[in-house]
Amino acid sequence: MDTRTAVRVVSLSKKYNKSDKMALSNLNLSINKGEIYGFLGPNGAGKSTTIRLLMNFLQPTKGEMYIDDRLVGSNSNIYKNVGYLSGDFVAYPKLTGKQFLDYMSAYSLKENDQKYISSLAKRMDIDLSKKIGSLSKGNRQKIGIIQAMMNKPDVLILDEPTSGLDPLKQEVFYELIAEAKKSGAGIFFSSHNLAEVQKICDRVGIIREGVLVHESTLSDLELGATQTFEITFINKPPLAQLKKIKGVSHLELKDKDVILHLNGEVTPLISELAKYRVLKINSRELDLENEFMRFYEKGSNK
Amino acid sequence: MIKIIYWHIKQRKMFIFWWSLAIIGFIGLNLAFYPSFKDQADQLEKAFSQLSDTAIAFFSDTGEFFSPEGYLSSQVFYLVLPMLLSILSITLSNSQFAKEERDGTLELLLSKPISRIKLLNVKIASSLSILIGIGSIATLSIIVICKIVKIDVPLLNIALASLMSTIFAITIASITYMLNALGSFGRAASIGIASAVALVGYILSSLLTVVSWLEWPAKALPFYYYRPAEILTSSYNWRNLAYYLMVIFSCYIISIFAFRKRDIG
């Protein structure tokens, strides 16, 4: 097993020259090889700033970053095994997809594996003989995905990579990401689309106003997430007893129906309900959207 | 690196083609009428001498318009060629650098294993290759047209005057690159400043014959040291070349240091 970290960020801060505010404050994070890390946050939270710092497009005000355990800024060769894609992918409009990928290979110090590129193009359903300028945003993004993945990188740094892709191609992209993970790549994936993070990431970090406000595995996040139960009792609901259950945060009574919000394990609730005659239990599907919003509401209430 | 430079040049083949065609056209158009003037050179020279010194100074660095050297200098080397090559150099430097930074493709290139210094060198080398290429095409076309219309100036002097026009344009390109590498000016400002350096230098140097105190500000600008008529008449002080080399070298060093550690975009 590869024990190296794919990406490591230590006390990273960034303040832009023309701004009084910190765009990023004391960020610490680490992404392992074979792991997909989802970096969540709304526009302007600091996701792209973090990625642009990692790619050495921006200079940090403070802190250090490592890719493949090598210090960012020390040597450009660290990007030899890095695939990068931004959400607003731009390329040279006068070049065809194939010409563009050949041009990129001149910079990559690697010969293109044409067979692999053709297979990627086929899976993404894109014609590489067309000029990039004539392609739609979604199709341009597909070219971007191919350029990021064509060298089978060990580290993928992706800034909202599915923007513009139709749902079918998003699925293909998730498959490609899963394959990269399986072959041991570490993937840093920024998004504001919670559903896709829920779908593919092992771990999530939530960033707000340049500060990492939460970091956990997806299963921990799910464990901490609020679940909603609708319970119909045959007799009068035992409200006082239900209130005492560990993790119950909200109780609502409608005749013999109770709507209950629960954080954490459901075992105490089931044990308590076993004491009563219960007609029906409905559990609403776990939604991380609420969790995600919780971190933001905390911020806006400050 | 050679492969990347080749790619850059290949990407701009139509740009190179149209610029070469335009320069050949301009040169051809300016020199083609020499045979018509040659026989009446003395009379025309007398008529032109009636013009004010200022007017003469703006079009000729010899004060002559119809001697072979005077004609060649006033019609091609004093204004047309250096200005065309300067426009080319500013356009080229901006499209290679500032435009790529604005469009976001510079970031794409820097996401590959290439250092900023190497990327800057690649951009400079490809601009230089294109400028030298088009400069050489201009030189060849001047020599051929001079032969055809029988402008009797030594070929070596024509080649050296063309070379100096190209060096002047390279100097303007290096200033443009430096402004782009510094990054705080923006594309429009770098075009404006580089154009002003070329144009104000031309205006100040031309006015020197009538306003002597302009000598000091003129001396700071590249055009002052560009004296094609002296090259055509073999009287040029080649130590002036040191000024250009110094400016080009200084701009290059500043570009490297400025671009090495600045924010992109």
Side-chain angles (χ1 to χ4, degrees):
Chain A
M1 191 185 142
D2 197 341
T3 54
R4 285 176 304 165
T5 51
V7 174
R8 190 156 59 90
V9 172
V10 183
S11 305
L12 187 65
S13 298
K14 175 68 184 173
K15 185 174 169 290
Y16 290 102
N17 285 339
K18 289 170 187 167
S19 170
D20 301 331
K21 266 177 69 181
M22 294 296 283
L24 205 63
S25 294
N26 202 32
L27 179 72
N28 290 284
L29 56 87
S30 172
I31 300 157
N32 299 317
K33 287 287 179 75
E35 183 185 36
I36 307 177
Y37 186 97
F39 201 42
L40 277 167
N43 294 334
K47 302 187 301 291
S48 294
T49 298
T50 307
I51 285 180
R52 286 160 58 75
L53 282 159
L54 272 172
M55 294 308 298
N56 201 27
F57 303 153
L58 301 177
Q59 303 302 307
T61 307
K62 203 188 91 189
E64 287 169 350
M65 300 150 287
Y66 299 85
I67 291 178
D68 246 344
D69 287 338
R70 288 188 285 176
L71 184 67
V72 168
S74 61
N75 188 336
S76 58
N77 272 341
I78 64 173
Y79 296 108
K80 200 170 174 177
N81 293 314
V82 173
Y84 164 73
L85 175 64
S86 68
D88 53 350
F89 172 75
V90 283
Y92 302 90
K94 287 178 188 167
L95 296 184
T96 65
K98 185 176 181 318
Q99 286 170 335
F100 169 70
L101 295 175
D102 286 346
Y103 181 48
M104 287 296 102
S105 85
Y107 281 90
S108 300
L109 313 172
K110 281 181 180 175
E111 281 302 315
N112 278 350
D113 179 348
Q114 294 300 345
K115 212 172 153 188
Y116 183 60
I117 289 174
S118 300
S119 78
L120 286 174
K122 199 174 170 189
R123 289 175 73 177
M124 294 306 297
D125 189 23
I126 179 78
D127 181 357
L128 295 179
S129 64
K130 282 188 178 167
K131 284 200 172 178
I132 293 171
S134 71
L135 300 175
S136 65
K137 184 183 183 324
N139 282 334
R140 279 201 306 271
Q141 196 68 10
K142 291 177 189 175
I143 303 267
I145 290 169
I146 296 172
Q147 72 80 31
M149 307 198 82
M150 67 183 181
N151 290 321
K152 299 176 184 165
D154 294 336
V155 177
L156 272 163
I157 297 176
L158 309 167
D159 191 3
E160 301 186 1
T162 52
S163 95
L165 285 185
D166 63 61
L168 284 174
K169 291 299 161 289
Q170 281 184 15
E171 288 301 323
V172 177
F173 174 72
Y174 300 148
E175 281 170 26
L176 291 171
I177 292 292
E179 286 165 20
K181 178 194 165 180
K182 205 172 165 189
S183 63
I187 300 152
F188 186 48
F189 186 106
S190 101
S191 178
H192 55 235
N193 182 347
L194 201 70
E196 72 179 3
V197 167
Q198 221 172 327
K199 197 166 194 168
I200 63 167
C201 294
D202 301 307
R203 214 147 52 93
V204 288
I206 299 178
I207 187 168
R208 173 170 45 83
E209 291 173 8
V211 179
L212 190 70
V213 289
H214 181 81
E215 192 183 45
S216 68
T217 61
L218 212 64
S219 49
D220 282 346
L221 194 66
E222 283 170 356
L223 203 65
T226 304
Q227 297 182 73
T228 304
F229 292 94
E230 288 176 20
I231 308 158
T232 309
F233 290 87
I234 291 174
N235 301 315
K236 191 183 169 198
L239 270 189
Q241 279 73 17
L242 291 175
K243 265 182 194 166
K244 288 179 192 165
I245 295 170
K246 190 186 169 194
V248 170
S249 58
H250 172 82
L251 266 180
E252 206 178 309
L253 181 68
K254 281 183 188 168
D255 195 16
K256 287 180 180 174
D257 294 338
V258 171
I259 296 171
L260 178 149
H261 290 182
L262 179 77
N263 293 93
E265 270 190 67
V266 292
T267 321
L269 173 68
I270 291 166
S271 307
E272 190 60 36
L273 290 179
K275 298 174 189 169
Y276 304 94
R277 293 184 70 196
V278 176
L279 187 69
K280 200 167 69 179
I281 302 177
N282 274 335
S283 168
R284 279 186 211 154
E285 202 173 315
L286 187 75
D287 189 359
L288 286 185
E289 189 90 34
N290 289 333
E291 272 313 282
F292 182 60
M293 291 311 293
R294 193 159 62 89
F295 288 109
Y296 279 88
E297 279 161 9
K298 271 184 197 169
S300 59
N301 291 340
K302 259 197 324 190
Chain B
M1 189 158 156
I2 300 290
K3 195 177 168 187
I4 303 174
I5 295 169
Y6 167 74
W7 255 103
H8 276 261
I9 296 169
K10 197 178 152 191
Q11 263 179 270
R12 285 173 173 79
K13 57 180 186 289
M14 291 314 290
F15 175 91
I16 296 167
F17 172 78
W18 287 112
W19 264 95
S20 302
L21 204 65
I23 285 183
I24 293 169
F26 260 108
I27 292 166
L29 210 62
N30 278 287
L31 296 182
F33 301 104
Y34 180 69
S36 324
F37 300 124
K38 200 167 87 175
D39 298 335
Q40 307 152 50
D42 287 343
Q43 294 99 304
L44 286 165
E45 209 72 75
K46 269 183 199 163
F48 269 67
S49 65
Q50 304 299 312
L51 292 169
S52 70
D53 288 348
T54 316
I56 291 171
F58 270 111
F59 298 103
S60 169
D61 56 341
T62 57
E64 291 177 0
F65 288 94
F66 299 100
S67 67
E69 289 85 1
Y71 190 81
L72 200 52
S73 183
S74 64
Q75 293 299 308
V76 176
F77 288 116
Y78 189 60
L79 183 60
V80 171
L81 191 59
M83 286 305 155
L84 280 176
L85 290 176
S86 296
I87 294 167
L88 166 70
S89 71
I90 293 168
T91 310
L92 196 57
S93 312
N94 268 290
S95 73
Q96 294 255 29
F97 202 117
K99 187 177 178 294
E100 289 225 34
E101 184 167 4
R102 188 197 61 192
D103 292 349
T105 47
L106 201 63
E107 288 187 1
L108 194 64
L109 301 180
L110 285 170
S111 73
K112 305 296 171 195
I114 184 166
S115 69
R116 290 189 180 200
I117 294 174
K118 198 170 172 186
L119 182 65
L120 188 68
N121 284 339
V122 162
K123 297 278 181 191
I124 290 173
S126 51
S127 297
L128 208 59
S129 308
I130 294 171
L131 269 174
I132 291 172
I134 294 178
S136 304
I137 289 168
T139 308
L140 272 175
S141 59
I142 296 167
I143 289 173
V144 169
I145 296 166
C146 280
K147 277 279 165 201
I148 294 169
V149 298
K150 297 189 172 64
I151 297 179
D152 191 19
V153 177
L155 295 186
L156 179 67
N157 290 359
I158 294 175
L160 289 173
S162 292
L163 176 69
M164 191 49 89
S165 294
T166 309
I167 290 172
F168 175 77
I170 291 169
T171 309
I172 300 300
S174 66
I175 293 169
T176 316
Y177 261 106
M178 180 190 72
L179 293 167
N180 287 329
L182 285 165
S184 41
F185 295 95
R187 187 170 175 233
S190 71
I191 292 174
I193 295 170
S195 306
V197 167
L199 205 63
V200 172
Y202 157 71
I203 293 168
L204 294 186
S205 298
S206 300
L207 289 174
L208 275 182
T209 48
V210 280
V211 191
S212 59
W213 63 265
L214 287 175
E215 178 135 11
W216 280 106
K219 268 184 173 176
L221 298 166
F223 200 87
Y224 178 84
Y225 303 91
Y226 173 72
R227 296 166 183 209
E230 289 178 11
I231 299 171
L232 292 171
T233 53
S234 307
S235 58
Y236 186 65
N237 181 356
W238 284 96
R239 271 181 289 189
N240 287 338
L241 194 60
Y243 170 88
Y244 290 108
L245 297 179
M246 192 191 71
V247 173
I248 292 167
F249 182 71
S250 307
C251 289
Y252 174 70
I253 296 295
I254 293 169
S255 302
I256 293 284
F257 276 94
F259 188 57
R260 207 168 51 104
K261 286 276 176 194
R262 80 158 164 90
D263 290 350
I264 306 289

